[in-house]
């Protein structure tokens, strides 16, 4: 074991083409923050690095769709992401971004160092080129037919219908997403990191050196990659958005995003060091620094094989000691998907649940996908709050502080003679800092938080067993001891909960008038001094009602319906009709003069319309989608020569034309500008 003097802790850079959601939080940012807060509370020197990943093709695609620049896209989402992290208490020392000048300079210099020292190789290959757009096409800008399942909308890197990984040249009938034309193959030169040259070193460093201490998922994925045989990997690509390749012969080329993004950890450290007038290199180049990467399992190869090979090739940098990658978090039994809007977005949660940041942190930690995929449900979220945080943690603290105010005016009472039970409680309380800390140091955050709740359970059981509210009259001296010890448990909770529930810890320490304590103080039975004044009691948690949860469930149900409607098959075309058949239909623009609901029906409206030919009444089944007053004065399209039919006592003569959406909802057909009543539709 090396002597560790400082900790460099990184968290995967979220991609700045959308907000962060609970999957990101559970997989990366909440566990990283727990770890960092624990280290700080133990007096360790730690640097917690975060930032937005702002290069790559998905951002250029989004910008092109919206008609804005890539910089506009990343500026928007960088601010949303950064604010979400701040409001959820993710305590970065720096949250940077890869589009800033410091990063561009650092990444370009890193590439140039590898290039100058012969660590890269040049390769010429044939890649698709759009002759009309005058640019090489990234894989996501090429669509075509999948050779495996015949999906006609496969991308150049993957078919999302069958999940098969592809190369752009595998596609049948490839088309450019820029112009719609068929691209041509054109020769282009790029620089590659020869991963195959690091095979022996990786086998020794990972397969032998980290077999015992890396998570099985991490180790297994690395082992599989290495044993499949490593190949050179391009570090540059033909694209206009990104870090420019610092070579004269590389005009129009940028660093591949997988290469420049992890260098973002280093450039962020430089940025932080400059702002704090200190040295950055000790965090990345000293052997007494421990480097820990927090990531999701989709980033394992990049952080355990590719980035370490980059660092090894450079030669001056330390390598990661730990990469505690998590599995994935699902939502209500379905895979979280940003494209389908099937997610709980961090910024929306903060708006919908003000002051409840710790409830989300607690829930996500309690179901952390450390060894397998986990599932978030709103019902479980509610239960975690009401049955655990409120009923156990909050209830214990509230009873203790309220009784202390009721009996002693908020003055901490003296501790009298201890019974064997009190001695046992004190002894058990003293075990929790090491027990929780050991779990955190082994990256078992779910287990660590469960141990924290066991301390709250210990306090709750002690109060329930001793019943101070019953003993106040018969044995007031013993009640002083009970509440003194209960307050000491509250004090320990306020210290030990800080990595998990930072907002709660702050509120609790304010109630107890407890300041400037570190992790080792947790578990002590003399943290609070008899005679000191407590502040007024306040609730740490509040009940979350069924109605609140129902709103969130409905939001997801609406999303599911919208997705189904978006992906629904279009109704097949009917059989052809002759022009003469079509000519028999008399469709005209009419104006609605009056509208009212038909009594004892849910779907029917009675409309009075001016057809230009006459004024007549019709019955239309649109009451579920339109209020009568919203239709008066509107012009709509109507088939006026439909034979009359008596409906609910009304001779309905004609039919308003409607478009039926995939979800069954109806929308009236209207001219886009006002015309004379009776104008025919041709």
């Amino acid at each position: 074991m090396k002597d560790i003097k400082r900790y460099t802790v990184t968290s995967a850079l979220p991609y700045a083409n959308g907000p962060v959601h609970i999957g990101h939080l559970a997989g990366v940012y909440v566990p990283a923050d727990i770890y960092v807060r624990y280290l700080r509370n133990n007096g360790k020197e730690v640097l917690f690095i975060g930032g937005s990943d702002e290069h790559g093709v998905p951002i250029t695609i989004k910008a092109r769709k919206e008609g804005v620049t890539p910089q506009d896209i990343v500026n928007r989402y960088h601010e949303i992401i950064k604010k979400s992290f701040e409001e959820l208490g993710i305590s970065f020392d720096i949250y940077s971004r890869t589009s800033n000048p410091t990063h561009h300079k650092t990444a370009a210099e890193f590439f140039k160092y590898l290039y100058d020292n012969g660590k890269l190789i040049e390769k010429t290959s044939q890649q698709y080129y759009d002759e009309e757009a005058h640019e090489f096409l990234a894989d996501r800008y090429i669509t075509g037919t999948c050779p495996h399942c015949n999906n006609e909308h496969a991308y150049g890197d993957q078919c999302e219908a069958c999940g098969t990984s592809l190369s752009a040249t595998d596609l049948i009938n490839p088309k450019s997403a820029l112009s719609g034309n068929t691209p041509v193959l054109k020769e282009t030169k790029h620089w590659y990191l020869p991963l195959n040259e690091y095979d022996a070193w990786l086998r020794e460093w990972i397969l032998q050196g980290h077999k015992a201490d890396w998570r099985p998922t991490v180790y297994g994925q690395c082992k599989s990659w290495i044993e499949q045989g490593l190949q050179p990997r391009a570090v540059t690509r033909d694209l206009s958005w990104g870090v420019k390749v610092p070579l004269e012969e590389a005009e129009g080329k940028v660093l591949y995003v997988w290469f420049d993004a992890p260098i973002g950890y280093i450039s962020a450290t430089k940025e932080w060091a400059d702002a704090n007038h200190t040295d950055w290199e000790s965090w990345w180049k000293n052997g007494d620094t421990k480097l820990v990467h927090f990531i999701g399992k989709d980033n394992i190869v990049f952080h355990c094989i590719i980035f370490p090979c980059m660092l090894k090739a450079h030669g001056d940098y330390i390598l990661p000691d730990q990469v505690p990658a998590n599995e994935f978090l699902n939502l209500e039994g379905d895979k979280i998907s940003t494209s389908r809007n099937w997610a709980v977005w961090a910024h929306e949660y903060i708006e919908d649940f003000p002051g409840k940041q710790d409830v989300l942190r607690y829930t996500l930690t309690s179901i952390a996908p450390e060894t397998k995929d986990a599932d978030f449900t709103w019902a479980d979220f509610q239960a975690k709050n009401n049955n655990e945080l409120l009923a156990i943690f909050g209830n214990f603290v509230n009873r203790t502080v309220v009784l202390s105010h009721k009996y002693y005016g908020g003055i901490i009472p003296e501790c009298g003679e201890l019974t064997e039970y009190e001695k046992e409680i004190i002894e058990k309380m003293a075990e929790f800092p090491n027990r929780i800390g050991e779990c955190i140091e082994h990256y078992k955050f779910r287990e660590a938080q469960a141990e924290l709740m066991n301390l709250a359970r210990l306090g709750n059981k002690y109060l329930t067993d001793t019943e101070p509210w019953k003993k106040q009259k018969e044995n007031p001296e013993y009640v002083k001891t009970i509440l003194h010890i209960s307050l000491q448990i509250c004090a320990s909770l306020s210290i030990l909960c800080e990595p998990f529930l930072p907002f709660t810890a702050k509120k609790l320490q304010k109630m107890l008038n407890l300041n400037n304590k570190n992790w080792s103080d947790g578990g002590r039975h003399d943290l609070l001094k008899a005679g000191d004044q407590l502040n007024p009691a306040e609730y740490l948690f509040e009940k979350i009602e069924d109605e609140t949860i129902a709103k969130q469930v409905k939001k997801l149900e609406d999303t599911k319906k919208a997705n189904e409607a978006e992906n629904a098959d279009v109704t097949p075309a009917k059989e052809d009709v002759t022009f003469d058949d079509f000519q028999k239909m008399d469709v005209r623009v009419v104006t609605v003069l009056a509208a009212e609901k038909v009594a004892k029906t849910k779907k029917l409206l009675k409309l009075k319309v001016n057809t230009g030919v006459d004024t007549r009444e019709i019955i239309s089944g649109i009451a579920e989608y339109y209020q009568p007053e919203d239709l008066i004065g509107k012009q709509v399209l109507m088939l006026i020569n439909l034979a009359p039919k008596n409906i609910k006592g009304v001779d309905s003569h004609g039919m308003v034309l409607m478009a039926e959406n995939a979800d069954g909802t109806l929308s009236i057909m209207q001219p886009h500008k006002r015309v004379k009543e009776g104008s025919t539709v041709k």
Side-chain angles (χ1 to χ4, degrees):
M1 295 292 291
K2 68 181 183 181
D3 181 29
I4 300 170
K5 291 186 177 179
R6 68 192 65 78
Y7 294 77
T8 301
V9 180
T10 75
S11 59
L13 308 184
Y15 209 51
N17 68 336
V20 289
H21 54 62
I22 57 170
H24 301 128
L25 296 172
V28 178
Y29 305 104
V30 171
D33 190 61
I34 292 170
Y35 183 68
V36 165
R37 286 177 180 273
Y38 167 77
L39 292 175
R40 292 192 189 117
N41 290 349
N42 273 282
K44 303 297 185 183
E45 192 178 359
V46 57
L47 181 63
F48 186 19
I49 301 164
S52 298
D53 182 357
E54 299 183 332
H55 297 137
V57 172
I59 285 168
T60 64
I61 290 176
K62 194 175 189 72
R64 196 180 290 266
K65 279 183 179 178
E66 295 188 15
V68 298
T69 67
Q71 192 67 53
D72 291 330
I73 296 294
V74 299
N75 286 348
R76 180 199 312 165
Y77 288 112
H78 172 75
E79 291 304 320
I80 292 173
I81 295 168
K82 186 171 183 285
K83 185 178 179 183
S84 295
F85 285 145
E86 289 169 353
E87 294 189 343
L88 285 165
I90 308 300
S91 57
F92 292 116
D93 290 295
I94 181 168
Y95 189 79
S96 187
R97 54 193 307 187
T98 61
S99 66
N100 70 25
T102 299
H103 175 71
H104 276 241
K105 183 173 185 291
T106 302
E109 288 175 348
F110 197 104
F111 171 90
K112 191 64 163 57
Y113 184 89
L114 297 188
Y115 175 85
D116 289 342
N117 286 274
K119 301 296 183 179
L120 303 175
I121 59 175
E122 295 179 8
K123 289 176 66 175
T124 299
S125 62
Q126 297 277 325
Q127 294 186 16
Y128 276 126
Y129 183 82
D130 188 320
E131 293 181 305
E132 182 179 329
H134 303 293
E135 63 180 87
F136 283 95
L137 297 172
D139 293 339
R140 281 269 150 173
Y141 277 118
I142 307 167
T143 60
T145 301
C146 174
H148 302 282
C149 71
N150 294 319
N151 167 35
E152 295 180 355
H153 305 288
Y155 291 105
D157 58 350
Q158 185 183 37
C159 174
E160 294 187 345
C162 66
T164 304
S165 294
L166 301 170
S167 296
T169 51
D170 295 334
L171 293 175
I172 301 167
N173 298 322
K175 299 292 181 184
S176 166
L178 299 182
S179 65
N181 296 336
T182 300
V184 298
L185 286 170
K186 186 175 179 180
E187 196 172 82
T188 183
K189 181 172 71 173
H190 285 289
W191 289 265
Y192 291 71
L193 181 66
L195 295 177
N196 51 300
E197 295 181 9
Y198 299 88
D199 181 274
W201 171 72
L202 285 169
R203 288 177 182 274
E204 180 182 353
W205 179 62
I206 297 177
L207 302 190
Q208 296 179 34
H210 287 292
K211 185 175 184 178
D213 61 333
W214 281 7
R215 286 180 175 173
T217 301
V218 177
Y219 182 83
Q221 197 175 126
C222 291
K223 186 172 187 290
S224 175
W225 249 68
I226 293 169
E227 292 184 344
Q228 284 177 14
L230 300 173
Q231 301 297 324
R233 191 176 182 94
V235 303
T236 62
R237 72 186 317 179
D238 295 291
L239 198 66
S240 59
W241 175 248
V243 177
K244 307 300 181 189
V245 177
L247 300 174
E248 288 185 8
E249 57 191 301
E251 183 70 28
K253 301 181 192 295
V254 298
L255 299 183
Y256 224 125
V257 68
W258 69 259
F259 182 85
D260 97 79
I263 298 173
Y265 302 139
I266 301 169
S267 62
T269 306
K270 288 184 176 181
E271 191 180 336
W272 170 84
D274 287 344
N276 290 276
H277 309 291
T278 188
D279 168 52
W280 72 270
E281 292 189 321
S282 59
W283 299 96
W284 284 95
K285 297 185 177 181
N286 280 8
D288 53 10
T289 300
K290 181 172 182 175
L291 175 60
V292 181
H293 295 309
F294 281 87
I295 57 168
K297 69 178 178 182
D298 53 339
N299 263 319
I300 288 174
V301 167
F302 294 103
H303 287 76
C304 295
I305 293 179
I306 298 175
F307 188 41
C309 284
M310 291 165 57
L311 298 174
K312 180 73 172 174
H314 194 286
D316 292 338
Y317 289 86
I318 59 173
L319 300 171
D321 284 83
Q322 262 291 352
V323 188
N326 274 343
E327 307 283 327
F328 292 144
L329 184 73
N330 296 322
L331 172 59
E332 299 284 357
D334 194 4
K335 183 179 179 181
I336 290 176
S337 169
T338 56
S339 62
R340 293 186 293 120
N341 195 31
W342 188 254
V344 176
W345 303 103
H347 67 293
E348 290 184 358
Y349 174 88
I350 292 162
E351 291 176 4
D352 294 344
F353 293 90
K356 292 184 174 59
Q357 300 97 319
D358 281 350
V359 181
L360 183 62
R361 290 175 64 113
Y362 178 84
T363 302
L364 296 179
T365 303
S366 70
I367 59 172
E370 293 172 353
T371 55
K372 61 181 180 179
D373 290 356
D375 191 38
F376 176 95
T377 69
W378 281 113
D380 183 57
F381 168 84
Q382 182 185 25
K384 291 284 194 300
N385 179 82
N386 294 353
N387 303 338
E388 296 178 26
L389 288 174
L390 178 61
I392 299 170
F393 195 125
N395 181 53
F396 166 65
V397 170
N398 185 255
R399 288 197 296 174
T400 300
V401 178
V402 166
L403 287 175
S404 298
H405 277 280
K406 181 178 180 180
Y407 297 154
Y408 316 114
I411 303 296
I412 298 172
E414 294 279 354
C415 183
E417 186 175 347
L418 302 177
T419 68
E420 289 303 313
Y421 189 24
E422 273 72 50
K423 291 177 182 177
E424 180 186 342
I425 293 293
I426 289 171
E427 187 177 314
K428 286 183 176 179
M429 180 172 61
E431 296 172 357
F432 280 94
N434 286 339
R435 194 184 299 173
I436 297 170
E438 187 173 334
C439 291
I440 293 175
E441 289 174 11
H442 287 86
Y443 311 98
K444 298 177 180 179
F445 305 108
R446 189 173 58 202
E447 188 177 329
Q449 183 175 265
E451 287 293 350
L452 170 71
M453 289 303 292
N454 285 338
L455 176 57
R457 288 186 175 91
L458 177 72
N460 243 338
K461 185 177 185 304
Y462 177 57
L463 269 188
T464 301
D465 289 347
T466 55
E467 298 181 310
W469 48 89
K470 289 185 178 180
K471 292 185 173 64
Q472 175 62 10
K473 288 185 179 179
E474 62 190 60
N475 193 352
E477 290 304 311
Y478 183 40
V479 171
K480 290 180 181 178
T481 299
I482 294 170
L483 290 178
H484 182 95
I485 291 174
S486 295
L487 286 168
Q488 301 294 354
I489 297 174
C490 289
S492 284
L493 280 171
S494 76
I495 295 167
L496 302 181
C497 83
E498 197 274 342
F500 310 93
L501 311 169
F503 300 93
T504 302
K506 192 173 183 180
K507 287 169 70 174
L508 181 50
Q509 289 182 13
K510 181 183 176 183
M511 264 193 280
L512 301 175
N513 265 327
L514 185 68
N515 298 307
N516 302 321
K517 299 296 181 183
N518 58 37
W519 189 263
S520 61
D521 292 318
R524 281 172 46 187
H525 63 281
D526 59 352
L527 284 168
L528 301 174
K529 304 301 180 186
D532 285 353
Q533 177 71 51
L534 300 172
N535 283 319
E538 57 177 300
Y539 290 114
L540 296 178
F541 308 100
E542 60 183 18
K543 185 178 181 182
I544 295 177
E545 302 293 346
D546 292 345
E547 295 78 17
T548 302
I549 297 302
K551 288 180 182 178
Q552 297 300 324
V553 172
K554 185 178 185 304
K555 185 189 288 188
L556 288 176
E557 288 173 348
D558 290 345
T559 294
K560 185 168 285 188
K561 288 178 182 177
N563 288 334
E564 290 171 354
E566 181 72 22
N567 297 313
D569 292 333
V570 176
T571 303
K574 296 179 181 179
E575 291 182 7
D576 290 347
V577 297
T578 66
F579 183 74
D580 289 340
D581 289 334
F582 175 73
Q583 285 287 85
K584 294 176 183 178
M585 299 176 63
D586 191 354
V587 180
R588 304 201 181 202
V589 177
V590 306
T591 299
V592 180
L593 303 176
E596 62 182 81
K597 289 186 176 180
V598 177
K600 298 182 181 179
T601 69
K602 289 184 177 180
K603 297 183 177 181
L604 302 182
L605 289 182
K606 182 172 76 170
L607 306 179
K608 185 178 181 180
V609 300
N610 178 2
T611 68
V613 176
D614 56 20
T615 298
R616 64 177 74 172
E617 291 182 334
I618 61 170
I619 298 296
S620 184
I622 57 176
E624 291 180 291
Y625 312 106
Y626 294 95
Q627 294 298 315
E629 59 270 20
D630 294 335
L631 292 173
I632 297 172
K634 284 191 181 300
Q635 290 196 318
V636 300
L637 304 188
M638 191 176 100
L639 178 66
I640 70 167
N641 64 334
L642 183 68
K645 182 177 182 181
N646 189 278
I647 303 173
K648 295 294 182 179
V650 176
D651 287 329
S652 179
H653 189 187
M655 182 173 66
V656 173
L657 301 188
M658 313 291 295
E660 184 178 18
N661 298 317
D663 60 2
T665 58
L666 300 176
S667 299
I668 57 175
M669 305 299 293
Q670 297 178 270
H672 80 277
K673 64 180 180 179
R674 203 162 188 87
V675 298
K676 182 175 176 59
E677 288 91 352
S679 297
T680 57
V681 176
K682 300 191 175 187

